[in-house]
Amino acid sequence: MKIVIRDIGEFDLQPGQPLKTILSEIKKVFKKIPVGFKFQEEYLDWHTPITTSLGNGEVIELIPVYPDNKEALWFLRHTASHVLAQAVKELFPEAKLGIGPAIEEGFYYDIYYTRPFNEEDLQKIEKKVKEIIQKRLPLERKEISKEEAEKLFSSLKEEFKLELIKEINEDVLSVYTQGEFVDLCRGPHILSTGDIKAIKLLSVSGAYWRGDEKNPMLWRIYGTAFFSKEDLEEYLKRLEEIKKRDHRKLGKELELFTIEEDIGPGLVIWLPKGALIRNLIENFWKEEHFNRGYQLLYTPHIALRDLWKVSGHLDFYAENMFPSMELENRAYQLKPMNCPFHIYVYNQKRRSYREFPIRFCELGTVYRFERSGVLHGLLRVRGFTQDDAHIFCREDQLEEELTNVLDLVVYFLKVFGFYEYKIFVSTRPEKFVGDPKVWDKAEEALKKALENKGLPYEIDPGEGVFYGPKIDLKIKDVLGRFWQCSTIQVDFNLPERFDLVYVGEDNKFYRPIMVHRALLGSLERFLGVLIENYAGAFPFWISPVQLKVLTITDRTIPYAEKVAQTLEKAGFRVERDFRSEKLNYKIRIAQQEKVPYMIILGDKEEENQVISLRSRTGEVLNNLSLEDLISKLKTENQPYYQLNERS
């Protein structure tokens, strides 16, 4: 049978022979052996046997090894997860294996054991992992019948594997072996454990089997692997930086927010400094929306359960909703969305085509049931405030409205310092409401708006919400991580379900189009991203404390108080540190608190009626007049200051 490898040539193999049969020929072309192949979006490794579909002249592509090749790393890390599982089984024979995939930045394996694995266990496992790598065990793929697979894993007493096998609707399954270790797996894998050049086990956490709280708790061991020690060291340095920026750690240190188990997991309490930041962002948000023709709404936190039947949420979203509450023989529901309320505001009166577009906005708090295992600080919560808006427009206005929303999204992201992002158009999911033709029309409208703005995008198939397709913007932070925040959704379906109409120019009734959009996503999540992006050192305009006045001696306290009061009257947020402590200690405390500027006052400053200004990054300006400082800071105290700095 003939296979064709792009840019390499043609090769003849017998049916059933693995691709590594041609390995000696490939070695003549490459210094580093590619990890495997890609065929019609499917990964194939060197262990894959030749079949009719591969041997009829179809072109397959090699996946070369280089540091940033995520596809090659996928092969490597999948094999690393098998090595991890082998190490655990050798050290803890009674452990039971779940699943062990490669993930975006590494791999994990879910393992059942009678107790949690601790740090000491992790060190032992990593040592054993490295021993297995040094043995350079070759991997082998075997294809066996479903019946043989059941017998094999039954003899190994791997109950979780047996559960998976029973659910596979195929007669032939594949297993991979390395030494005496065997695992149920589709692949792909690298040639040998010895090809793993750098590996590190990172952490352990609990994970219910298959994500269901009714199932046993397994222990998820995380790790990462690279093709070189240098790449691993660079990654570990980045991890350390991420730890320093962890919004949960900084949120506690900077007294921004708290989440208390006694109150409820996933429910955020904003402390005074965090509440101040949130209020500044909310005020800026409202002002910009008023300037762009939006009308502000406030809606209840609960509604009758029947509302969510009409909207379709109970059919398509019930698993993400809190249980209903029975009051006076009627069922009420905590709201997971704001949109039905905005629809009722629209329906307060008969609408004319002349009124459009109608833009309603709300900082609306919603409640969604997230399983406790996925809750994560501000980034994944159960109660959060969406910066929500709904636009009702005519079909001829849709393109312009989408363009305006995109302009507003990009403006907001830039104001907060995010200039890089990825854009995805999420298309119709498996579960949806409405006419597929209407969905197609909505998807085209989103694509056209992006194309008109010259914004590149990718298609995210099947990831739309049940009532319509959407645009998602994922912003890039200073560490190169992408965060999902902004979303824009076109909805032809809810207007139909709630029987929304308007009177056209010809006095006939027409359906409006509804656009759902959030710029920041939720205030909780966005503030979590902001904290990590800036490592708690916020831009001046949203810093909870903008200036800290420090005295060198007690003699200058009266002058320092006068300076502090003048700055407060000018509209700045000021703290005082007049303690009888050494100046360096006071400066260090202010830097730890991420205060943008420190005003240092001693006898010399008082004598000359000036100030010394020190930034949190260490720059110093001496002999500065208070008037000049106020002028400088008023410029910096604007939301759009960063835009001017970048231009």
Side-chain angles (χ1 to χ4, degrees):
M1 298 178 73
K2 183 178 292 185
I3 64 165
V4 181
I5 302 177
R6 188 183 300 279
D7 300 328
I8 302 296
E10 297 181 355
F11 299 87
D12 289 316
L13 287 93
Q14 296 300 315
Q17 281 187 311
L19 285 164
K20 60 186 170 188
T21 307
I22 62 171
L23 194 55
S24 58
E25 294 298 315
I26 299 298
K27 285 180 178 178
K28 296 175 183 177
V29 182
F30 290 90
K31 288 182 179 179
K32 284 188 176 180
I33 301 170
V35 293
F37 306 84
K38 195 172 185 180
F39 174 62
Q40 297 179 352
E41 301 306 313
E42 181 183 357
Y43 292 133
L44 311 173
D45 58 28
W46 291 104
H47 316 287
T48 305
I50 292 299
T51 61
T52 307
S53 61
L54 277 178
N56 59 6
E58 294 284 355
V59 177
I60 63 175
E61 298 182 31
L62 281 164
I63 299 176
V65 175
Y66 56 85
D68 296 327
N69 188 342
K70 289 186 177 180
E71 291 182 312
L73 285 169
W74 198 264
F75 282 67
L76 177 78
R77 289 166 176 170
H78 195 176
T79 303
S81 77
H82 278 224
V83 175
L84 165 61
Q86 181 180 356
V88 171
K89 289 294 287 185
E90 289 186 12
L91 290 168
F92 307 94
E94 63 274 31
K96 308 294 181 186
L97 300 180
I99 58 171
I103 54 177
E104 182 68 23
E105 293 196 334
F107 60 89
Y108 69 80
Y109 215 111
D110 286 344
I111 298 165
Y112 176 80
Y113 194 54
T114 52
R115 63 168 175 79
F117 293 109
N118 55 38
E119 188 61 35
E120 186 179 341
D121 295 328
L122 211 60
Q123 291 173 11
K124 289 179 182 177
I125 295 167
E126 184 173 303
K127 183 179 178 183
K128 179 62 70 173
V129 162
K130 290 177 179 177
E131 288 175 10
I132 294 168
I133 289 170
Q134 287 172 359
K135 290 179 182 178
R136 301 190 61 83
L137 299 175
L139 277 85
E140 298 291 340
R141 176 188 172 108
K142 294 180 182 178
E143 296 193 347
I144 59 178
S145 69
K146 188 171 182 178
E147 184 180 351
E148 287 175 302
E150 287 177 339
K151 286 181 181 178
L152 171 62
F153 287 97
S154 179
S155 69
L156 295 171
K157 297 181 180 180
E158 294 287 1
E159 292 88 353
F160 299 108
K161 298 294 182 181
L162 285 169
E163 183 179 326
L164 296 173
I165 290 168
K166 286 184 172 70
E167 295 179 5
I168 298 174
N169 295 319
E170 295 175 17
D171 296 328
V172 178
L173 310 181
S174 59
V175 296
Y176 279 78
T177 62
Q178 57 207 41
E180 296 181 1
F181 177 76
V182 61
D183 203 353
L184 177 73
C185 188
R186 293 179 181 273
H189 289 283
I190 54 178
L191 283 163
S192 160
T193 63
D195 294 332
I196 302 171
K197 303 300 182 187
I199 191 167
K200 180 70 177 173
L201 300 188
L202 301 170
S203 62
V204 182
S205 65
Y208 289 108
W209 172 238
R210 314 192 84 171
D212 190 335
E213 293 173 2
K214 296 175 184 177
N215 288 335
M217 173 71 78
L218 277 62
W219 308 112
R220 179 169 292 179
I221 302 177
Y222 285 96
T224 193
F226 290 88
F227 288 107
S228 74
K229 290 180 180 178
E230 292 75 18
D231 290 339
L232 175 60
E233 287 171 5
E234 186 177 325
Y235 175 76
L236 293 177
K237 285 179 184 176
R238 182 168 169 268
L239 271 190
E240 283 303 310
E241 184 62 31
I242 289 172
K243 284 180 185 177
K244 290 178 190 173
R245 293 170 177 266
D246 190 320
H247 74 281
R248 295 166 298 179
K249 172 178 171 285
L250 289 170
K252 185 175 182 179
E253 291 174 358
L254 300 177
E255 300 179 0
L256 302 177
F257 70 91
T258 184
I259 298 172
E260 301 289 340
E261 283 297 317
D262 291 343
I263 291 171
L267 302 174
V268 181
I269 297 174
W270 293 100
L271 302 177
K273 289 181 179 179
L276 195 155
I277 296 172
R278 175 171 166 161
N279 184 59
L280 290 164
I281 293 173
E282 286 183 1
N283 289 341
F284 167 68
W285 187 92
K286 289 175 186 176
E287 182 181 342
E288 287 298 327
H289 280 74
F290 289 146
N291 290 340
R292 295 170 193 255
Y294 285 81
Q295 301 172 74
L296 184 66
L297 302 179
Y298 292 97
T299 61
H301 290 232
I302 64 171
L304 288 168
R305 189 172 173 82
D306 288 346
L307 177 67
W308 310 107
K309 289 180 182 176
V310 178
S311 70
H313 286 87
L314 283 178
D315 293 327
F316 297 91
Y317 207 73
E319 64 185 23
N320 297 105
M321 297 167 68
F322 276 86
S324 61
M325 299 172 280
E326 295 290 332
L327 295 168
E328 298 178 334
N329 297 318
R330 304 188 77 178
Y332 287 82
Q333 186 76 49
L334 279 170
K335 67 174 177 179
M337 306 277 188
N338 299 303
C339 33
F341 297 94
H342 293 199
I343 286 169
Y344 272 81
V345 175
Y346 175 93
N347 263 344
Q348 287 300 295
K349 60 182 180 179
R350 179 66 53 81
R351 302 289 181 176
S352 162
Y353 73 96
R354 297 178 186 274
E355 295 179 62
F356 291 110
I358 298 168
R359 307 182 186 103
F360 295 139
C361 67
E362 177 182 13
L363 291 164
T365 301
V366 298
Y367 301 89
R368 298 180 189 173
F369 176 68
E370 298 281 3
R371 297 188 182 279
S372 56
V374 301
L375 296 174
H376 184 78
L378 297 177
L379 303 179
R380 199 76 176 262
V381 292
R382 288 177 172 170
F384 56 93
T385 302
Q386 286 184 308
D387 70 315
D388 219 347
H390 295 92
I391 300 167
F392 300 89
C393 64
R394 306 188 306 265
E395 190 169 338
D396 62 292
Q397 296 172 318
L398 178 60
E399 192 176 314
E400 182 180 358
E401 285 305 302
L402 290 174
T403 301
N404 290 341
V405 171
L406 284 169
D407 284 339
L408 188 55
V409 167
V410 170
Y411 173 71
F412 260 76
L413 295 182
K414 286 181 177 179
V415 162
F416 289 100
F418 298 105
Y419 285 80
E420 294 184 61
Y421 38 80
K422 287 182 180 179
I423 302 176
F424 297 86
V425 174
S426 301
T427 58
R428 186 169 67 245
E430 287 186 19
K431 288 185 176 182
F432 68 94
V433 293
D435 185 341
K437 292 181 181 177
V438 172
W439 273 80
D440 292 341
K441 185 189 291 186
E443 288 172 13
E444 284 306 310
L446 291 172
K447 292 175 188 175
K448 193 170 182 182
L450 288 167
E451 288 161 5
N452 288 345
K453 291 295 298 176
L455 295 171
Y457 63 88
E458 299 174 35
I459 299 295
D460 201 357
E463 290 301 314
V465 288
F466 70 88
Y467 51 77
K470 60 177 179 169
I471 293 172
D472 286 327
L473 280 88
K474 297 182 180 180
I475 57 178
K476 185 178 181 181
D477 71 7
V478 293
L479 296 181
R481 299 173 297 176
F482 283 92
W483 304 90
Q484 170 62 55
C485 290
S486 313
T487 186
I488 306 164
Q489 303 163 4
V490 175
D491 187 352
F492 292 91
N493 293 303
L494 285 185
E496 184 79 29
R497 294 175 79 92
F498 283 93
D499 194 25
L500 301 189
V501 295
Y502 68 89
V503 178
E505 195 171 4
D506 57 2
N507 285 323
K508 293 181 180 179
F509 289 118
Y510 296 90
R511 291 253 184 261
I513 296 170
M514 187 175 180
V515 176
H516 309 244
R517 47 112 292 206
L519 308 180
L520 308 179
S522 79
L523 294 182
E524 285 74 10
R525 181 177 177 79
F526 188 72
L527 271 160
V529 174
L530 269 188
I531 292 168
E532 297 204 359
N533 185 64
Y534 288 106
F538 298 107
F540 185 77
W541 74 280
I542 54 170
S543 290
V545 177
Q546 295 175 309
L547 299 134
K548 201 162 190 178
V549 180
L550 314 180
T551 51
I552 296 175
T553 68
D554 290 349
R555 291 190 300 276
T556 55
I557 289 177
Y559 178 56
E561 180 60 34
K562 179 182 174 183
V563 168
Q565 289 181 11
T566 302
L567 290 167
E568 286 172 334
K569 286 177 183 177
F572 301 110
R573 297 181 290 279
V574 182
E575 274 192 0
R576 298 152 174 82
D577 191 346
F578 298 166
R579 294 174 297 168
S580 299
E581 299 283 357
K582 291 183 178 179
L583 180 61
N584 286 342
Y585 174 76
K586 294 182 180 182
I587 290 172
R588 188 165 67 252
I589 294 299
Q591 286 176 324
Q592 289 172 357
E593 294 171 348
K594 316 285 186 179
V595 178
Y597 293 111
M598 290 151 269
I599 292 175
I600 299 169
L601 301 175
D603 293 337
K604 184 180 177 182
E605 283 78 17
E606 182 175 12
E607 182 182 342
N608 296 311
Q609 292 294 291
V610 294
I611 60 124
S612 289
L613 185 71
R614 181 188 178 97
S615 75
R616 62 188 162 203
T617 54
E619 294 90 351
V620 176
L621 279 175
N622 293 319
N623 300 317
L624 192 65
S625 74
L626 201 51
E627 292 76 15
D628 287 346
L629 173 65
I630 290 171
S631 176
K632 164 186 162 54
L633 295 180
K634 280 189 173 179
T635 302
E636 197 171 339
N637 200 26
Q638 302 297 326
Y640 22 82
Y641 174 74
Q642 289 194 113
L643 297 180
N644 298 332
E645 286 290 287
R646 295 273 301 212
S647 61

